């Protein structure tokens, strides 16, 4: 999500990660576990409606890829432009959603004690001398729901933050704009503090945890991404996943944390993550632990949102998982593009699923 990235700096950082990361040779492994069949061979999605969806998608110049799966079956997959569907790309702030999953696993494994765990003891060496006493009140859950209270490092403050010599210390030194647990203050540094705290608690990098706890059991690839000057992997931005890998991650949530007969994520954590805790001052949409939520056509839509239009939608009541990947650094930035992606889902994909479901019941 977020209007968070100064043009020149975001372009440099994204470029640096893209150069450093190349598609892993096994990027297609296990994606074949989800069969791909033409929509015309299934009643899962109405073919005529989906044909219009694809036509509209092709007309969006910033949209690179569209994948729609229903009940675990890929019914539409289109590389419209840009990298291939198996090539890792920058998912921007959708990284926050993946980080939330790692926190849920860490709590389940006892690496973290819970969402009410205070982060100050884990980050004690980065706390500013004579800092605001409210720093010791910030909890894991506050970082995940953007309710830490610390002043933003996104938007106009982003450049100074990511060019500072110590991102964690810089973020902890920001003045408070609200008390911990108060209103949502969208700030990528909140997720980076979570990445740092998780790294300290686990004694392992966020990337190694993402690889061992998510990528390997899901059969996907998550290559290394950008790190701060102290070597902490960026907690809220620049994670690399292919569109198909992101779909697989979404399927994990749609299926309640168990996939291919293997429990990866606690089902209770998914419900916790999808429970609204704050409301975005930018979009007016509810936010849980790394997930936005809204309603469409009478259905709950849970979604991850990365800058430029890196979208993962899960519609549990329709067994839908949808990935839309866009230009990660549009120039000029297209404020209307994300709204167009939501419209594509609301007026195209969801109606195609509803009609397909009716046709299936009629057979």
């Amino acid at each position: 999500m977020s209007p968070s990235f100064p043009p020149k700096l975001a372009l440099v950082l994204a470029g640096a990660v893209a150069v450093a990361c190349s598609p892993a040779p096994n990027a297609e492994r296990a994606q074949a576990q989800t069969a791909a069949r033409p929509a015309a061979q299934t009643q899962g999605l109405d073919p005529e409606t989906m044909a219009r969806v694809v036509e509209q998608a092709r007309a969006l110049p910033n949209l690179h890829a569209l994948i729609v799966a229903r009940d675990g079956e890929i019914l539409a997959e289109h590389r419209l432009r840009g990298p291939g569907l198996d090539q890792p790309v920058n998912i921007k702030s959708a990284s926050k959603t993946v980080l939330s999953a790692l926190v849920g696993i860490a709590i389940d494994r006892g690496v973290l004690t819970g969402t009410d765990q205070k982060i100050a003891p884990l980050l004690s060496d980065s706390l500013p001398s004579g800092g605001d006493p409210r720093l010791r009140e910030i909890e894991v859950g506050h970082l995940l729901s953007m309710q830490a209270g610390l002043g933003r490092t996104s938007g106009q403050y982003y450049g100074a933050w990511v060019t500072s010599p110590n991102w964690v210390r810089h973020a902890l030194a920001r003045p408070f704009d609200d008390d911990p647990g108060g209103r949502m203050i969208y700030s990528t540094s909140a997720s980076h503090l979570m990445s740092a705290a998780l790294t300290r608690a686990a004694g392992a990098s966020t990337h190694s945890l993402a690889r061992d706890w998510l990528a390997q059991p899901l059969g996907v690839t998550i290559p290394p991404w950008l790190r701060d000057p102290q070597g902490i992997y960026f907690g809220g931005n620049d994670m690399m996943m292919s569109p198909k890998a992101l779909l697989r991650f979404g399927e994990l949530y749609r299926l309640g944390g168990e996939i291919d007969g293997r429990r990866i994520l606690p089902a209770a954590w998914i419900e916790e993550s999808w429970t609204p805790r704050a409301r975005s001052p930018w979009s007016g949409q509810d936010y849980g632990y790394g997930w936005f939520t809204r309603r469409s056509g009478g259905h709950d839509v849970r979604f991850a949102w990365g800058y430029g239009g890196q979208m993962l939608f899960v519609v549990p009541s329709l067994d839908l998982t949808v990935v839309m990947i866009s230009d990660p650094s549009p120039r000029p930035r297209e404020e209307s593009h994300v709204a167009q992606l939501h419209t594509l889902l609301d007026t195209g994909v969801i109606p195609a699923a509803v009609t397909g479901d009716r046709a299936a019941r009629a057979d």
Side-chain angles (χ1 to χ4, degrees):
M1 185 293 240
S2 124
S4 307
F5 307 97
K8 290 185 179 179
L9 183 61
L11 189 59
V12 169
L13 293 177
V17 175
V19 170
C21 301
S22 60
N26 67 337
E28 296 181 6
R29 183 171 64 88
Q31 315 299 353
Q33 295 175 17
T34 305
R37 293 165 51 194
Q41 297 181 16
T42 180
Q43 296 290 350
L45 296 173
D46 178 66
E48 292 184 5
T49 304
M50 280 306 300
R52 290 194 295 270
V53 168
V54 174
E55 182 180 0
Q56 293 166 357
R58 292 189 188 282
L60 298 177
N62 287 342
L63 184 57
H64 287 183
L66 170 67
I67 308 178
V68 181
R70 187 158 200 199
D71 198 22
E73 182 180 5
I74 294 178
L75 302 180
E77 53 178 339
H78 299 276
R79 172 189 171 273
L80 306 172
R81 53 189 67 82
L85 299 182
D86 291 302
Q87 181 174 337
V89 296
N90 191 340
I91 63 171
K92 292 293 187 176
S93 285
S95 306
K96 296 174 173 66
T97 312
V98 180
L99 179 69
S100 173
L102 295 179
V103 172
I105 297 171
I107 293 173
D108 186 55
R109 294 181 177 220
V111 174
L112 295 170
T113 61
T115 56
D116 59 352
Q117 181 175 353
K118 303 293 193 292
I119 65 158
L122 292 171
L123 305 177
S124 58
D125 61 347
S126 297
L127 294 173
S129 177
D132 193 306
R134 286 177 289 184
L135 286 170
R136 300 192 177 278
E137 299 175 16
I138 299 175
E139 301 175 354
V140 165
H142 297 151
L143 297 179
L144 295 176
S145 61
M146 299 289 172
Q147 293 175 285
L150 289 166
R152 299 178 70 223
T153 55
S154 296
Q156 67 193 69
Y157 308 104
Y158 186 82
W161 174 49
V162 297
T163 55
S164 69
N166 189 312
W167 296 8
V168 172
R169 187 170 296 164
H170 183 101
L172 291 171
R174 294 288 297 157
F176 276 81
D177 287 343
D178 202 349
D179 292 332
R183 62 187 172 88
M184 181 181 182
I185 300 172
Y186 189 91
S187 182
T188 298
S189 63
S191 296
H192 191 64
L193 291 176
M194 189 66 255
S195 179
L198 181 59
T199 297
R200 297 288 175 81
S205 74
T206 304
H207 172 252
S208 66
L209 299 178
R211 180 195 62 212
D212 297 344
W213 292 355
L214 283 175
Q216 289 183 356
L218 287 175
V220 303
T221 298
I222 302 179
W225 65 96
L226 188 69
R227 292 183 288 174
D228 73 9
Q230 285 64 50
I232 303 296
Y233 277 90
F234 205 166
N237 193 8
D238 286 350
M239 190 177 288
M240 305 289 289
M241 294 180 73
S242 73
K244 284 191 175 180
L246 193 59
L247 183 84
R248 182 81 167 160
F249 175 77
E251 279 290 283
L252 175 66
Y253 272 76
R254 184 187 69 81
L255 293 170
E258 183 176 342
I259 196 166
D260 297 336
R262 180 175 180 179
R263 170 65 59 188
I264 299 173
L265 190 63
W269 181 254
I270 295 175
E271 291 304 314
E272 285 284 301
S273 301
W274 285 351
T275 299
R277 301 174 187 282
R279 179 161 293 181
S280 168
W282 304 103
S283 67
Q285 291 159 337
D286 290 332
Y287 193 68
Y289 288 157
W291 288 86
F292 289 91
T293 184
R294 65 180 182 86
R295 297 276 290 174
S296 176
H299 301 276
D300 286 328
V301 178
R302 322 294 190 177
F303 64 101
W305 177 0
Y307 175 79
Q310 322 314 317
M311 314 298 294
L312 168 61
F313 298 101
V314 179
V315 189
S317 60
L318 292 174
D319 297 315
L320 274 178
T321 306
V322 180
V323 169
M324 299 181 191
I325 296 295
S326 306
D327 180 353
S329 302
R331 297 291 180 268
R333 59 186 294 160
E334 291 282 348
E335 298 291 357
S336 64
H337 177 67
V338 172
Q340 291 171 323
L341 300 184
H342 282 281
T343 299
L344 200 63
L345 182 82
D346 295 347
T347 65
V349 178
I350 286 180
V354 170
T355 303
D357 183 57
R358 289 172 182 158
R361 288 201 303 267
D363 286 347

